[in-house]
Amino acid sequence: MNFATALQGLVGILWLVVVGMVVLAIIRAARAQNVKSLTSAILVTAIIALLLTTVSAGLVFVPPDQRGVVISALEPQGYREQALQPGLRWIIPYFENVVMYPISRQTYTMSIASIEGQVQGDDSVAARTSDGQEVFLDASVIYAIDPDQVVRLHIAWQKRYTDELVRPLSRGVMRDAVSQFGVEEVYSTRRLEMTQQIRDDLSAKLQDNGLLLVDFILRNITFSPEYAASVEQKQIAEQQAQQARFVVEQRKQEAQQAIETAKGQAESVKIKAQGDADARLIQAKAETEALQMIAQALKERPELLTYQYITHLAPSIQTMLLPSNNPFLLPLPTQQPSAAGTPTLSPTPIFTPTLSP
């Protein structure tokens, strides 16, 4: 409680005392009792109450979050040019009075929701885009009175600045800004640009009227049911097209993978064929070298050919005809069972025919 308020309370009590004493004096006078002393007390108390009333009428306490506009009958223009600053201030009693204005931040909300904002029901801002589509904007304007422009605001708007300045000015600026953008720009690519434009225009116009724009908040953008349905269909079509592109890309990747797999298999077959060819080449080279060595050995020792021939005969062959220049047959070994049941080798008789030329 500030001093001015306490003083006003004291003045009120004194006047009640004066009234009570007057009533008491009337009662005593009606009973023919002495009221001289009571009359003096009433007079003194009334004078004190009047003085304190005058003093309290001249004392004004201005809270820190407010400024006071002094309406004065002593000033030529009818008001003081400077607003009262926070603290206990003095004005001329009975010739001046003070109108308080808050300088703290205030919020004005316009919303489609019926329970939000200063106006009950749908209070969203209907606007037309540059391509003729209707949109509905939910917004909040956070503002404050410029402490240095309180007197100017009082002269121009008094206490009507919220409903007759902030509200219509905000709605008009929003409609003007939306009309410069297409509907798709409003809700996607240029929404931030549009919001900033509203903020700049609204700040300039409020400042011209003694108000400071703290912030402009574009809360929501709603479209007409017809356009909302078309946007939904467009999004569905875009999603389907994106899915189709994904399937095509997947098929391309699968085809590329199949091509790479086929290339790998072909390369594997090629490497295997090359390996087989190299192996056959090495084997042929080895056989050629072996034959060369055999030929060289036979050249040096021809009888090895006969030996190789004999060692490769089938087991059923028991005799062998030698060339005509050999007049005898060689005995071939045979296997005969021994008494112990183990086969033993014994020569087979060979007759040597007489060969005549």
Side-chain angles (χ1 to χ4, degrees):
M1 180 182 294
N2 57 69
F3 179 75
T5 304
L7 184 60
Q8 290 174 359
L10 178 60
V11 169
I13 294 174
L14 287 176
W15 282 115
L16 288 176
V17 171
V18 170
V19 172
M21 294 173 66
V22 169
V23 172
L24 181 60
I26 294 173
I27 295 174
R28 285 187 176 186
R31 295 178 180 179
Q33 296 177 352
N34 186 12
V35 294
K36 184 177 180 181
S37 59
L38 186 59
T39 303
S40 299
I42 293 174
L43 182 59
V44 172
T45 305
I47 292 173
I48 295 174
L50 182 61
L51 291 175
L52 292 179
T53 300
T54 302
V55 173
S56 65
L59 286 177
V60 178
F61 178 76
V62 181
D65 60 340
Q66 297 184 15
R67 296 293 184 270
V69 178
V70 180
I71 309 302
S72 176
L74 303 178
E75 297 290 338
Q77 66 273 22
Y79 60 89
R80 291 188 188 180
E81 294 183 356
Q82 298 295 325
L84 294 181
Q85 300 300 309
L88 188 62
R89 304 299 173 185
W90 173 260
I91 61 174
I92 300 175
Y94 311 118
F95 292 94
E96 294 180 337
N97 67 292
V98 179
V99 180
M100 295 292 185
Y101 284 90
I103 62 170
S104 57
R105 295 180 178 182
Q106 304 177 58
T107 301
Y108 192 90
T109 298
M110 295 160 284
S111 174
I112 195 174
S114 59
I115 60 175
E116 296 182 351
Q118 280 70 15
V119 177
Q120 296 297 319
D122 184 1
D123 193 35
S124 59
V125 181
R128 290 280 180 180
T129 61
S130 60
D131 47 6
Q133 294 293 335
E134 186 177 30
V135 297
F136 303 90
L137 308 179
D138 285 12
S140 292
V141 180
I142 303 175
Y143 66 97
I145 297 175
D146 187 350
D148 298 330
Q149 301 292 329
V150 175
V151 176
R152 177 184 174 190
L153 178 70
H154 173 78
I155 296 172
W157 299 99
Q158 290 81 45
K159 296 289 186 175
R160 310 186 317 274
Y161 61 89
T162 298
D163 295 330
E164 298 184 13
L165 174 63
V166 176
R167 174 182 172 83
L169 192 62
S170 302
R171 299 172 76 89
V173 169
M174 283 190 281
R175 289 191 179 98
D176 291 341
V178 170
S179 66
Q180 301 177 29
F181 297 87
V183 63
E184 293 187 359
E185 297 174 336
V186 165
Y187 74 84
S188 60
T189 58
R190 302 181 66 185
R191 174 170 176 166
L192 294 178
E193 180 182 347
M194 182 189 70
T195 303
Q196 187 60 44
Q197 180 176 335
I198 295 174
R199 186 178 292 112
D200 294 340
D201 294 345
L202 185 58
S203 177
K205 293 184 178 181
L206 289 177
Q207 191 171 8
D208 290 340
N209 290 274
L211 297 176
L212 299 176
L213 179 65
V214 178
D215 197 6
F216 171 80
I217 303 172
L218 184 59
R219 295 151 49 95
N220 188 33
I221 300 177
T222 307
F223 305 96
S224 63
E226 296 79 8
Y227 184 76
S230 66
V231 170
E232 183 178 0
Q233 293 176 356
K234 180 180 178 181
Q235 291 178 344
I236 293 175
E238 290 179 352
Q239 292 177 355
Q240 292 175 347
Q242 185 177 3
Q243 181 66 23
R245 289 192 297 269
F246 174 77
V247 172
V248 171
E249 185 64 25
Q250 185 179 11
R251 293 293 183 269
K252 288 182 179 179
Q253 293 180 357
E254 292 176 354
Q256 186 64 30
Q257 184 177 2
I259 292 173
E260 295 297 330
T261 301
K263 288 182 178 179
Q265 292 176 350
E267 188 67 23
S268 177
V269 171
K270 180 179 178 181
I271 293 173
K272 186 176 182 300
Q274 184 65 38
D276 293 342
D278 293 342
R280 288 196 298 270
L281 181 61
I282 293 172
Q283 182 179 3
K285 184 177 180 181
E287 291 176 353
T288 300
E289 293 178 354
L291 291 175
Q292 291 177 354
M293 293 175 65
I294 292 172
Q296 182 65 29
L298 291 176
K299 182 178 180 181
E300 295 176 356
R301 299 182 65 183
E303 61 274 15
L304 289 176
L305 182 60
T306 302
Y307 174 76
Q308 289 292 327
Y309 177 74
I310 294 172
T311 57
H312 286 82
L313 288 176
S316 60
I317 302 298
Q318 302 296 320
T319 61
M320 184 179 73
L321 183 63
L322 298 177
S324 60
N325 57 350
N326 293 318
F328 57 88
L329 293 177
L330 297 176
L332 297 176
T334 60
Q335 295 182 353
Q336 293 182 356
S338 62
T342 303
T344 59
L345 296 178
S346 61
T348 301
I350 300 178
F351 295 95
T352 304
T354 301
L355 298 177
S356 59

